[in-house]
Amino acid sequence: MNAESRTSPAPATRPAAAPERWAKLAPLFLVSMAAVGYEIALARYFAVAQWSEYGYWVISIVMVGFALSGVVLALARDRAARHGKVLLSVLPVLLVAAAALGFHWTVTNPFNPLQLQNPATWQGQVGNIALYYACLLPVFFLAGAYIGLSFILNADRIGRTYGFDLLGAGCGAMLALGLMLVLHPFQLVPALLVPLAAAAFFAPWRRGAMVAAALLALLGGEALLRLGPQPDFNDFKAIYAPLHVPDAQVVAERRTPRGHYLLLDDFMERVDTDISNNAGLLGLPGPPTSFGLYRDGNRIAALPRPEGAETGYAPSALDALPYLLRPEARVLLAGASGGFRARGALTLGAADVTVLEPEPVLRGALTEGFGPSPALPPDPRLTISGESPLAVARRAARSGRRFDVIDLSADFLDAAEANASALSAEAIAAYWNALAPDGVLSLPVSIRDFPVYALRLLATVRAGLLAVGVADPAAQVAVYRSAWSVRVLVSRSGWDAARLEALRRFADERSFDIVYHPGFDADAARDHLYNDLPAVSFESGQVTSEGPADAIADEAVAVLQARDTPSAEAFNLRPVTLDRPAFYAVLRLDQLGTLLKRLEILPQQEIGALVNLAVLAQALVIALLVLLVPLLGRVKAPRAVMARAIVYFPCLGLGFLFLEIVLIERASFWLNDRTSGFALVLTGMLVFSGLGSMLAGRFGADPRRGMYLATGVVLAWGAALLLGLEPLILGTLDLPWAARAALVLLLVAPGSVALGLPFPLGLARAGGMGGLLPWAWALNGAFSVVSTPLANLLAREAGFDVIILTGILLYALAAATFPIARNTALAANAERRPVTP
């Protein structure tokens, strides 16, 4: 029996009709939907206007707002409950105003990430980060207050209430992704003000006045966002400079959940490839002008102009050697580079080219064109596919129809997040098995930022070759470079005298430097360097070489033989694997002082780890403050209940997001697309968890049984993920996309239903104790803040399997600390006072 029925006349104790119960929770659905949609819209704003790594702040701000709202409700639970109808009526109006003002102030914030990495200017940028929190925290504080208050006022039907919250969140994710198909990323927030305002139509107090106030706030917010300062690319984004040169113009645009694509026509756009400085001496032209294709302000490809993709420069390019070693080759090419690499392979004499372009917009540009950029002309020698290199290589190895050259384009890894697995040890093992007896594998790595990335690729190649039984990986490898890029070649038949002579001649004619081959003398090679690459101490920032040097050649042999190197002391050179697929993760976080000292030279791809560390530090402080709330004396519950809650609710907050983050990453690899992996897992887990939470009422007589049942399902599901997920993914990579998407949902459903039960079961136990329910909500939110950066860092350092194992152990610990029986707790809580919402 809830608090309302204990303090009202007898007729009020009769359960409300079903339509009335649903109507009471409909605004909660709308608020949850708008809050998650707003969160995704903010993440898109940061990805487009800033860098996507700074989107981690959005997650932090959301959960901090939810946690603080729980703290306030815990301290003022009785007062909030007494004024519940008024608060539920007013909060949607305040949310509309806060959401509009928050985004307006976010847009006008002068934050600059480049200045954050500058020792002379970083202090001011820390203040701008604080401004982001000041702008956006009120939105998520108010949303958290609305959700937390809904739990307090519906303490007798927590399962249904939490179900509406999760279902609304799932629909909000779907709504935001759907809006990305038709709206510019900067226009998502104005659209998401509408469901917030719609919540006022269900106001339980002075509905007419609240509807009028909400519509007024909506009109004012829309006017502010559409007529006030407009969001734009920051001046450090790759698109900023070319977009602002004379006569530059956007000639085509495409809006998708994967990103906002712009095709730019300006005099700066050329094919971005690494060619010899001797191209003129070889009688070869330079790369032609092109259009530039940008996604979220980052350049991902050159697209041909209407006159076509001229590739006469191809023989002078760094990546041409494998085609000279294997004339008339059957080629597997990962990444068409807007079509130029595909045509270039034919120019170099390839007989048959299978082009893999998993990025859907880039693939569409090849087959259908993009704006004024034409499609590739039909050619019987070219086949275009959207599959991943790993899937095609595994199928080729099974079928016996192998490739003479397997070639990854230099821009393939950065064209889409899902392409990260293409440079894993497992992928390299698959490429080896898919090569013909005299076949050659060609792998790229950029050394513009850190030469150490080349050493990490060599370590990964070694691991991949060892996995397929190659006794001496170093005997199969040759490495050469320009000033900016490295090519690692793996020859299935090894490197005989003829191939080594071809390598030397190719490099000398084009002024490229050989880094390693079997029998290579690095000391002798220093006397004939074309492109000096001195060793630099990362700790001191000082050059440590004297005279001509090749820092990669100095360590290549040691890396291929798994011996210690100076770089291994400063950087992480562990092989990239499917369990730890982040290639751009060489910074050692145990050397944080050195990283902060060298902050100004860190590559943009490495900044995410430091942002996660900063968010984690802040999250731990917030979590500690929430844990201390009972010391203020406003949470009335027995000590035994408090002690269990301190473990139980944080375990749920950490465990749920740990499992969700891993499943998003795995689904992205499985579907070969980050956006659809994110959408399916996030929406699926929220919806199925919402359905699971609605089952909580079935265990009202024995909630402990429900908790143990849910935990048993989670443990079995988690064990299945640990033992069978990777084999299942690898075994089904060549199924149609729809079949793989269905498998993702089938995989997510049973575990998510079980994950939806523990939280409402625990909240139901806390519902009658003063302040405990909102404090539990705050604990869950606070440790959800901790979970995201912690999971990202664990994935980087330990791998996804460790996160899965940690997630299921957290649920086991939660089961062991499930709160004591509610009746016992209520009897012990003599200070509890009934409240009427």
Side-chain angles (χ1 to χ4, degrees), residues 343-380:
R343 300 294 298 177
L346 297 178
T347 299
L348 292 167
D352 178 82
V353 183
T354 299
V355 179
L356 305 180
E357 195 57 87
E359 214 286 347
V361 173
L362 282 176
R363 187 170 66 254
L366 299 178
T367 58
E368 303 167 6
F370 189 101
S373 179
L376 279 177
D379 193 313

Side-chain angles (χ1 to χ4, degrees), residues 537-700:
S537 167
F538 183 65
E539 183 172 357
S540 68
Q542 302 297 315
V543 175
T544 60
S545 305
E546 296 181 3
D550 188 329
I552 301 173
D554 290 343
E555 301 187 54
V557 176
V559 171
L560 286 168
Q561 295 177 355
R563 292 188 277 112
D564 290 337
T565 69
S567 291
E569 297 178 5
F571 299 101
N572 166 29
L573 300 186
R574 290 177 304 190
V576 179
T577 65
L578 293 180
D579 191 46
R580 286 195 302 265
F583 183 77
Y584 299 110
V586 298
L587 299 182
R588 291 185 54 172
L589 300 182
D590 58 348
Q591 299 180 0
L592 185 59
T594 301
L595 297 182
L596 295 177
K597 189 167 60 175
R598 301 266 72 84
L599 194 62
E600 72 277 6
I601 65 169
L602 297 184
Q604 180 252 325
Q605 298 98 325
E606 299 278 1
I607 292 296
L610 297 184
V611 175
N612 272 307
L613 277 176
V615 172
L616 178 60
Q618 165 228 282
L620 289 172
V621 172
I622 295 295
L624 178 62
L625 293 176
V626 173
L627 284 171
L628 295 177
V629 165
L631 297 181
L632 299 177
R634 303 304 297 271
V635 178
K636 307 298 183 182
R639 289 184 179 179
V641 175
M642 302 280 282
R644 288 172 177 265
I646 285 174
V647 178
Y648 183 79
F649 291 103
C651 282
L652 298 183
L654 288 168
F656 188 96
L657 280 175
F658 273 20
L659 295 170
E660 180 182 72
I661 287 169
V662 172
L663 286 171
I664 287 173
E665 296 297 331
R666 292 299 205 186
S668 299
F669 165 57
W670 201 352
L671 300 174
N672 204 29
D673 176 42
R674 172 77 177 186
T675 301
S676 56
F678 171 83
L680 278 176
V681 172
L682 178 65
T683 305
M685 287 192 71
L686 288 173
V687 170
F688 285 117
S689 296
L691 295 175
S693 71
M694 290 185 174
L695 298 175
R698 296 177 179 269
F699 299 97

Side-chain angles (χ1 to χ4, degrees), residues 165-223:
D165 174 34
L166 290 178
L167 289 173
C171 291
M174 288 190 290
L175 174 62
L177 292 168
L179 289 173
M180 290 179 202
L181 293 169
V182 294
L183 295 179
H184 189 286
F186 296 154
Q187 297 303 318
L188 293 174
V189 167
L192 290 164
L193 298 181
V194 175
L196 281 177
F201 283 82
F202 298 90
W205 177 78
R206 296 189 178 180
R207 182 174 301 173
M210 292 300 104
V211 169
L215 291 176
L216 184 62
L218 177 62
L219 291 174
E222 297 289 352

